[in-house]
Amino acid sequence: MSAELDLVPAALTQAIDELPLVDHHVHGATSHDLSRTAFEELITESDRPVPEWTTQFDSQVGFAVLRHCAPVLGLEPFCTPEEYLARRARLGAGEVNRRLLGASGIRHFLVETGYRGDELLGPSGMAEASGAPADEVVRLEQVAERVASLGCAADAFADRFGRALDERARTARGLKSVAAYRCGLDFDPAPPSPAEVTLAAGRWLDSGGGRLSDPVLVRHLIWAGLERGLPLQFHIGYGDPDVDLRRADPLLLRGLIELAEPTGVPLVLLHCYPYQRHAGFLAQAYPNVFFDVGLGVSYTGARSAALVAESLEVAPFAKILFSSDAFGPAELHHLGALLWRRAMARVLGGFVADGEWSLAQALRVAGMVGAGNARRVYGLGSGG
Amino acid sequence: MSAELDLVPAALTQAIDELPLVDHHVHGATSHDLSRTAFEELITESDRPVPEWTTQFDSQVGFAVLRHCAPVLGLEPFCTPEEYLARRARLGAGEVNRRLLGASGIRHFLVETGYRGDELLGPSGMAEASGAPADEVVRLEQVAERVASLGCAADAFADRFGRALDERARTARGLKSVAAYRCGLDFDPAPPSPAEVTLAAGRWLDSGGGRLSDPVLVRHLIWAGLERGLPLQFHIGYGDPDVDLRRADPLLLRGLIELAEPTGVPLVLLHCYPYQRHAGFLAQAYPNVFFDVGLGVSYTGARSAALVAESLEVAPFAKILFSSDAFGPAELHHLGALLWRRAMARVLGGFVADGEWSLAQALRVAGMVGAGNARRVYGLGSGG
Amino acid sequence: MSAELDLVPAALTQAIDELPLVDHHVHGATSHDLSRTAFEELITESDRPVPEWTTQFDSQVGFAVLRHCAPVLGLEPFCTPEEYLARRARLGAGEVNRRLLGASGIRHFLVETGYRGDELLGPSGMAEASGAPADEVVRLEQVAERVASLGCAADAFADRFGRALDERARTARGLKSVAAYRCGLDFDPAPPSPAEVTLAAGRWLDSGGGRLSDPVLVRHLIWAGLERGLPLQFHIGYGDPDVDLRRADPLLLRGLIELAEPTGVPLVLLHCYPYQRHAGFLAQAYPNVFFDVGLGVSYTGARSAALVAESLEVAPFAKILFSSDAFGPAELHHLGALLWRRAMARVLGGFVADGEWSLAQALRVAGMVGAGNARRVYGLGSGG
């Protein structure tokens, strides 16, 4: 389409377009229709109302919706927000989801269910809407908060949480910690003692439970998660204003990474923007560290190739994964996949055009990052 | 000119070249002739003498002067520093200022007057030399230091400062804090109590006043500024060696941003290099945060498109502003505008050439960042 | 070769290809043959065994070996790792070193001898294998650890270390501190008192000496180094897992830089990835700061132009140096030079193609960074 893209070997672009992706970290699509306000509030990580002097369509992700999702709904690229939302409403959420998820080419979803899961399609709903298998990733904090909400004595918490986690982990493909949101990543990496856990649980439960943010409990959840042996995902970097971005730098996890190394559990750093180079360093240094640049790819839109390129610097290629981290509108699932494919074609195609990589190398790395690495890390089999 | 530029739609380049810019943060141009030493010391943020084994012309900004300012003075691009400075001297500061400011296409200046203002043109001088309106941005610390210099008792300081600020704010378009230079941005974000202010003022005044760097007083100035309702600018990131760059990371302002949010006052983060991605995150997360990449654009010269591109990632387009942050030689005012135009044409033109944006979108965003956003934030009217 | 490279003036590419480089920070090449395991463990900064599910050839540096070193050994580009290692074994380490070092075009090596030096060629071995002069850079910590290993009383340590350092400094071209590895760069920058040094030396020597990591002793070594007047190198940023990357940010050296400024000793920040923009800021702000982006250039392979480009933003051109920081396989020496040349040709050629720089400027800056700056800083004469 452009002179730049003309440099990308057509075989590479086509192969990447057709890759059956594994989205190793995603949330459900919204199952109901969305007002303009609701839609705009879901295409930003801000949780504040949209100011009256602007629209969230005036952003990279907004422009990407009008450019890339409009055709999937039967509109011309670069239509207006009004045209887009009118067509979306006419088609209805079910049809919109089927079209956008289906056209994403994602062939396996690992759905994190622990955040506002009641508003979204669960794994089975995602499988139905997309025609692709969908498994679950369990959020540790949500399991603990549910234990608390059912009533629990402080000295029974660790055991009750452990049993609840065993139950959930039976069918889950992975676990996840949102320590970055709850206490920042600069926590003491060592596992807390049982007595510390009971004490902290007492404080938390006595104050009514709810949002779990005590660092002792957050650490306990992480270490309990590590014992289950499933890959453990960590929110890193970019997210909503609830995150203090300074305390979401993956380099802060160094102590935990080293302590957890003997367990052999893969630690998967999610998103990472703008710390993707830090994540790449950790992925080279430590065999148990993996990462993706999901979320950031969708939200940087026309700039996502820069982000993807920075993820392909010092990290070994077997350590990089694809995710969309989409949440809510199926536009985000679609863009997560589509923009990643375009970015990979540009970046790897650039390496080939520059004479640095062979076409065969580019094809192989695209397949590793898009699906193969996740299949190996999460034990998903060979696909198909 | 180059194959890359050939990809940029000519209509976009021309439209961006002709944009009547609002420079929302700038200092005055030097009104007097400059020796070679003085000139070289003003085209670096270093405050050290130029080492004998180099020249400040051997830098991105130095090369940009010889490339882009030389023709405005009637010389060939890429002349020698000697030829450039000889022509500059022959023309005289007045003519140099008229040419460089006029050709910048800046059509409204917001002049920060609080730093070495006696050596520079003030707002009226800038208006005269450029033919464009010029308003004032008042530096909070300078107002306080003047109150101290006139003699003031500790328990009268808050009131005397408040009245002086009211007087200055009557005609100003915005206020500015240089907390980053004075105590770092890792200060306690809460407003200090009146008793704390009096105590801190006593310590400061007893030691002779002068440079205000006590964090309690810095915070008092910021909160007094917020009460005035004018947009409040913050020095962020790159500057002279007086700044500890680690303590000038905009993420350190998170607490203040959240506390100030109910005031509705726009907080405008200046420069931000190399933290432009951090600033973009804050601009997405918080409705009251705006930012620019001024100063860095001039000083990175041929690399300024990279900086501008990084500012166009996660920030909503209504939150990004243009500034030159020029100080002293009118070359810096000229380059701030010219390099921003070239960078925007390359970056937005690249988005269009890649098929990610429409030409109309690119034109609209250029106008927002170059002028429209600043007109709205500072209440400048529609221009013209 | 590619459309992008077609934009680079051929004269520039050729001139950069032929530049006689000064590698101001490098380790020796391995003098013995390497098994596949040993080779793979030397083309990563990780010190962990290679996981059975991957190979270190699946990385930027691995791809660069197959692309760029294979032809030097008489193979086609993009051969397999097996083909590469078989040819390497057949040729033998001596011939491999002669070919790869010779073809690097490095014409002066400053060899840091303090890390696993017994496994590697020393300066004379490097000179012999490459046909280029090789001088020594002395690692301060290694000198101190040797003093301890020979037996030393606490109150004699400072004097014994001082004399050992004098002896080594007689022929060295520079000194180096690995404070980043030993205690992090967030140490108190002031020189410790003699009493503090004796106390710390006592603690260290009483516990058997060995790895020196006490911050008091690290600081003493640095200040003793500064007294010798030789350029003082600092490990910064990227390295093996022994480094806490957060505590290897060059901005942490601000206090030391300012205290050391009156000595006039050049402080040379090595590697710096991913903090090259921070290093560039320090190089602009402080006359005594220099830096390079070695190590990162080799390890980012096809992406190294991005790194080189970021080093050419705010730093004055007289403050940027070339290094390979190669260690072990001569492939790393070869790639350090070759990828730097390709990156410089792309980046500077892009500036020329964009109309921002003249060809003459690009040629001059390439010569400064590749050799001239190091010749001036280390007093190497005019070369040739």
Side-chain angles (χ1 to χ4, degrees):
Chain A
M1 174 174 319
S2 77
E4 184 195 323
L5 284 176
D6 287 345
L7 303 184
V8 180
L12 180 62
T13 300
Q14 188 180 339
I16 291 177
D17 280 352
E18 294 173 358
L19 266 182
L21 299 179
V22 175
D23 190 346
H24 87 102
H25 181 80
V26 63
H27 302 263
T30 311
S31 54
H32 52 276
D33 292 338
L34 296 166
S35 68
R36 173 156 187 165
T37 298
F39 187 87
E40 289 206 27
E41 289 181 352
L42 285 165
I43 59 165
T44 172
E45 284 292 306
S46 184
D47 55 5
R48 299 336 200 231
V50 183
E52 51 82 19
W53 39 263
T54 191
T55 159
Q56 296 293 0
F57 278 98
D58 277 351
S59 64
Q60 288 283 10
V61 70
F63 280 19
V65 167
L66 302 178
R67 165 65 185 91
H68 294 297
C69 300
V72 182
L73 304 196
L75 295 162
E76 290 295 308
F78 309 121
C79 63
T80 65
E82 293 71 27
E83 290 166 339
Y84 186 82
L85 292 169
R87 174 63 60 99
R88 197 183 201 283
R90 193 151 63 247
L91 291 171
E95 176 64 12
V96 164
N97 288 347
R98 269 187 299 281
R99 289 195 188 190
L100 290 168
L101 295 178
S104 73
I106 297 170
R107 286 294 162 262
H108 204 127
F109 292 94
L110 300 189
V111 183
E112 202 265 83
T113 52
Y115 183 57
R116 294 167 58 181
D118 47 335
E119 306 169 30
L120 306 173
L121 294 177
S124 64
M126 286 294 285
E128 193 178 333
S130 69
D135 291 309
E136 188 179 16
V137 170
V138 170
R139 185 187 284 225
L140 294 167
E141 291 80 2
Q142 193 265 344
V143 175
E145 287 162 2
R146 183 160 162 76
V147 165
S149 75
L150 296 173
C152 175
D155 59 4
F157 171 74
D159 184 57
R160 292 274 297 282
F161 170 71
R163 282 186 285 133
L165 185 58
D166 283 335
E167 175 63 22
R168 297 290 298 280
R170 246 182 356 96
T171 51
R173 291 293 189 174
L175 304 175
K176 178 183 176 188
S177 164
V178 291
Y181 278 116
R182 298 306 175 84
C183 61
L185 298 178
D186 47 352
F187 53 81
D188 174 357
S193 72
E196 288 174 302
V197 173
T198 299
L199 200 68
R203 283 194 303 267
W204 178 48
L205 296 165
D206 287 352
S207 68
R211 181 183 164 92
L212 183 156
S213 60
D214 183 296
V216 170
L217 297 179
V218 167
R219 288 158 56 204
H220 174 67
L221 270 51
I222 289 170
W223 280 100
L226 286 168
E227 287 177 11
R228 268 64 191 180
L230 292 170
L232 181 51
Q233 303 178 342
F234 285 87
H235 177 95
I236 302 287
Y238 178 49
D240 65 55
D242 195 22
V243 83
D244 181 347
L245 199 60
R246 289 184 68 240
R247 301 177 65 199
D249 182 337
L251 296 179
L252 292 164
L253 285 183
R254 180 179 187 247
L256 182 71
I257 290 166
E258 296 194 345
L259 287 177
E261 200 174 346
T263 69
V265 171
L267 307 181
V268 193
L269 313 180
L270 305 171
H271 328 320
C272 300
Y273 182 89
Y275 301 118
Q276 52 275 2
R277 284 171 161 169
H278 296 189
F281 164 73
L282 294 171
Q284 175 177 121
Y286 299 105
N288 55 329
V289 173
F290 300 78
F291 77 108
D292 72 45
V293 287
L295 192 63
V297 166
S298 310
Y299 277 98
T300 58
R303 276 285 296 168
S304 48
L307 182 50
V308 165
E310 290 180 18
S311 76
L312 290 159
E313 291 180 352
V314 300
F317 303 135
K319 311 299 274 317
I320 312 172
L321 279 67
F322 159 75
S323 86
S324 68
D325 193 36
F327 177 98
E331 281 81 356
L332 296 176
H333 302 76
H334 188 78
L335 290 174
L338 181 143
L339 290 170
W340 178 86
R341 294 181 199 272
R342 289 173 75 89
M344 287 291 277
R346 275 193 194 122
V347 174
L348 304 190
F351 296 164
V352 175
D354 288 345
E356 300 288 349
W357 286 25
S358 70
L359 179 58
Q361 287 175 325
L363 290 166
R364 191 160 64 81
V365 170
M368 291 169 71
V369 178
N373 292 336
R375 292 197 172 281
R376 187 187 68 247
V377 168
Y378 294 94
L380 302 181
S382 63
Chain B
M1 173 175 322
S2 78
E4 185 195 321
L5 284 176
D6 287 346
L7 303 184
V8 179
L12 180 62
T13 301
Q14 187 180 341
I16 292 176
D17 279 352
E18 294 173 357
L19 267 180
L21 299 179
V22 175
D23 190 346
H24 86 102
H25 180 81
V26 63
H27 303 262
T30 311
S31 52
H32 51 275
D33 292 338
L34 296 166
S35 68
R36 173 156 187 165
T37 298
F39 187 86
E40 289 207 27
E41 289 181 351
L42 285 165
I43 60 165
T44 172
E45 283 292 307
S46 185
D47 56 5
R48 299 339 199 228
V50 183
E52 51 81 22
W53 40 264
T54 191
T55 158
Q56 295 293 359
F57 277 98
D58 276 351
S59 64
Q60 288 284 9
V61 69
F63 280 20
V65 167
L66 302 178
R67 164 66 185 90
H68 294 296
C69 300
V72 182
L73 304 197
L75 295 162
E76 289 296 307
F78 309 120
C79 63
T80 65
E82 293 70 28
E83 290 167 340
Y84 186 82
L85 292 169
R87 173 65 58 99
R88 196 183 201 283
R90 193 153 61 248
L91 291 172
E95 176 63 13
V96 165
N97 288 347
R98 268 187 300 279
R99 289 196 188 189
L100 289 168
L101 295 177
S104 73
I106 296 169
R107 286 295 161 261
H108 205 127
F109 293 93
L110 300 189
V111 183
E112 202 264 83
T113 51
Y115 183 57
R116 296 166 57 182
D118 46 337
E119 306 168 30
L120 305 173
L121 294 177
S124 63
M126 286 294 285
E128 192 177 336
S130 69
D135 291 310
E136 189 180 16
V137 169
V138 169
R139 185 186 285 223
L140 293 167
E141 290 81 1
Q142 192 265 344
V143 176
E145 287 162 2
R146 183 160 162 76
V147 166
S149 75
L150 296 174
C152 175
D155 60 3
F157 170 73
D159 184 57
R160 292 275 296 282
F161 170 71
R163 282 186 285 134
L165 185 58
D166 283 336
E167 176 63 21
R168 297 289 300 277
R170 247 183 355 96
T171 51
R173 292 292 189 173
L175 305 175
K176 178 182 176 188
S177 164
V178 289
Y181 278 116
R182 300 304 175 85
C183 61
L185 298 179
D186 48 352
F187 54 80
D188 173 357
S193 71
E196 289 175 301
V197 173
T198 300
L199 199 66
R203 282 194 304 266
W204 177 49
L205 296 165
D206 286 353
S207 68
R211 182 182 162 88
L212 182 156
S213 60
D214 183 297
V216 169
L217 296 180
V218 168
R219 289 158 56 204
H220 174 66
L221 270 52
I222 289 170
W223 281 99
L226 287 168
E227 286 177 12
R228 268 65 191 178
L230 291 171
L232 180 52
Q233 304 178 343
F234 285 87
H235 177 95
I236 302 286
Y238 179 50
D240 65 55
D242 194 23
V243 82
D244 180 348
L245 199 59
R246 290 184 68 241
R247 300 176 66 198
D249 182 337
L251 296 179
L252 292 165
L253 284 183
R254 181 180 186 245
L256 182 71
I257 290 166
E258 295 194 346
L259 287 176
E261 199 175 345
T263 69
V265 171
L267 306 181
V268 193
L269 312 179
L270 304 171
H271 329 319
C272 300
Y273 182 89
Y275 302 118
Q276 53 274 5
R277 284 172 161 168
H278 296 189
F281 164 74
L282 295 171
Q284 176 178 119
Y286 300 105
N288 53 330
V289 173
F290 300 77
F291 77 110
D292 72 45
V293 287
L295 192 63
V297 166
S298 310
Y299 277 98
T300 58
R303 276 286 296 168
S304 50
L307 181 52
V308 165
E310 290 181 17
S311 76
L312 289 161
E313 291 181 351
V314 300
F317 304 134
K319 312 298 275 316
I320 311 171
L321 278 69
F322 159 75
S323 87
S324 68
D325 193 35
F327 177 98
E331 280 81 356
L332 296 176
H333 303 76
H334 188 77
L335 290 174
L338 181 143
L339 290 170
W340 179 87
R341 294 181 199 272
R342 288 173 75 89
M344 287 292 277
R346 276 192 194 125
V347 174
L348 304 190
F351 297 163
V352 175
D354 288 345
E356 299 289 348
W357 285 26
S358 71
L359 179 58
Q361 287 174 326
L363 289 167
R364 191 160 63 81
V365 170
M368 291 169 71
V369 178
N373 292 334
R375 292 198 173 279
R376 187 187 67 247
V377 168
Y378 294 94
L380 302 181
S382 61
Chain C
M1 173 174 321
S2 78
E4 185 195 322
L5 286 176
D6 285 348
L7 302 184
V8 180
L12 181 60
T13 300
Q14 187 181 339
I16 292 177
D17 280 351
E18 295 173 358
L19 266 181
L21 299 179
V22 175
D23 190 345
H24 87 103
H25 180 82
V26 63
H27 303 264
T30 310
S31 52
H32 52 277
D33 291 338
L34 295 167
S35 69
R36 173 155 186 166
T37 298
F39 187 87
E40 289 206 27
E41 289 181 354
L42 285 165
I43 59 165
T44 171
E45 284 292 307
S46 185
D47 54 7
R48 300 338 199 228
V50 183
E52 51 82 19
W53 39 264
T54 192
T55 159
Q56 296 294 358
F57 277 97
D58 277 350
S59 64
Q60 289 284 8
V61 69
F63 281 19
V65 167
L66 302 177
R67 165 66 185 92
H68 294 297
C69 299
V72 182
L73 305 197
L75 295 163
E76 289 296 307
F78 309 121
C79 63
T80 65
E82 292 70 29
E83 290 166 339
Y84 186 82
L85 293 170
R87 173 64 60 100
R88 194 182 203 283
R90 194 153 58 246
L91 291 172
E95 175 65 13
V96 165
N97 287 349
R98 268 187 299 279
R99 289 196 188 189
L100 289 168
L101 295 178
S104 72
I106 297 170
R107 287 294 161 262
H108 205 127
F109 293 93
L110 300 189
V111 183
E112 201 265 83
T113 52
Y115 183 57
R116 297 166 57 182
D118 46 338
E119 307 169 30
L120 306 173
L121 295 177
S124 63
M126 287 293 287
E128 192 177 336
S130 69
D135 290 310
E136 188 179 17
V137 170
V138 169
R139 186 187 285 224
L140 295 167
E141 290 81 2
Q142 194 264 344
V143 175
E145 288 162 2
R146 183 161 162 75
V147 165
S149 75
L150 296 175
C152 175
D155 59 4
F157 171 73
D159 184 56
R160 293 275 296 282
F161 169 72
R163 281 186 286 134
L165 184 59
D166 283 335
E167 175 63 21
R168 298 289 300 278
R170 247 184 354 99
T171 52
R173 290 293 188 174
L175 304 175
K176 178 183 176 189
S177 164
V178 291
Y181 278 115
R182 299 305 175 85
C183 62
L185 299 179
D186 47 352
F187 54 81
D188 173 357
S193 72
E196 289 174 301
V197 173
T198 299
L199 200 65
R203 281 193 306 265
W204 177 50
L205 295 166
D206 287 352
S207 68
R211 181 182 163 90
L212 182 156
S213 60
D214 183 296
V216 169
L217 297 179
V218 168
R219 289 157 56 203
H220 174 68
L221 269 52
I222 290 169
W223 281 99
L226 287 168
E227 286 176 13
R228 269 63 191 180
L230 291 169
L232 180 52
Q233 304 178 342
F234 284 87
H235 177 95
I236 302 287
Y238 179 49
D240 65 54
D242 195 23
V243 82
D244 181 347
L245 199 59
R246 290 184 68 241
R247 301 176 65 199
D249 182 338
L251 296 179
L252 292 165
L253 285 183
R254 180 180 189 247
L256 182 72
I257 291 166
E258 296 193 345
L259 286 177
E261 200 174 345
T263 68
V265 171
L267 307 181
V268 193
L269 312 180
L270 305 171
H271 328 318
C272 300
Y273 182 89
Y275 302 117
Q276 53 274 5
R277 285 171 162 169
H278 296 189
F281 164 74
L282 294 171
Q284 177 177 119
Y286 299 105
N288 53 330
V289 174
F290 300 77
F291 76 110
D292 72 45
V293 288
L295 192 64
V297 166
S298 311
Y299 277 99
T300 58
R303 277 286 295 167
S304 49
L307 181 51
V308 165
E310 290 180 19
S311 76
L312 289 160
E313 291 181 351
V314 301
F317 303 135
K319 311 298 273 317
I320 311 173
L321 278 69
F322 160 76
S323 87
S324 68
D325 192 36
F327 177 99
E331 281 82 356
L332 297 176
H333 302 76
H334 189 77
L335 289 175
L338 181 143
L339 291 170
W340 179 86
R341 293 181 199 274
R342 288 174 74 90
M344 287 292 277
R346 276 193 193 122
V347 173
L348 304 191
F351 297 163
V352 175
D354 288 345
E356 300 288 349
W357 285 27
S358 71
L359 178 59
Q361 287 174 325
L363 290 167
R364 192 160 62 82
V365 169
M368 292 168 71
V369 178
N373 292 335
R375 292 199 174 279
R376 187 187 68 245
V377 168
Y378 294 94
L380 302 180
S382 62

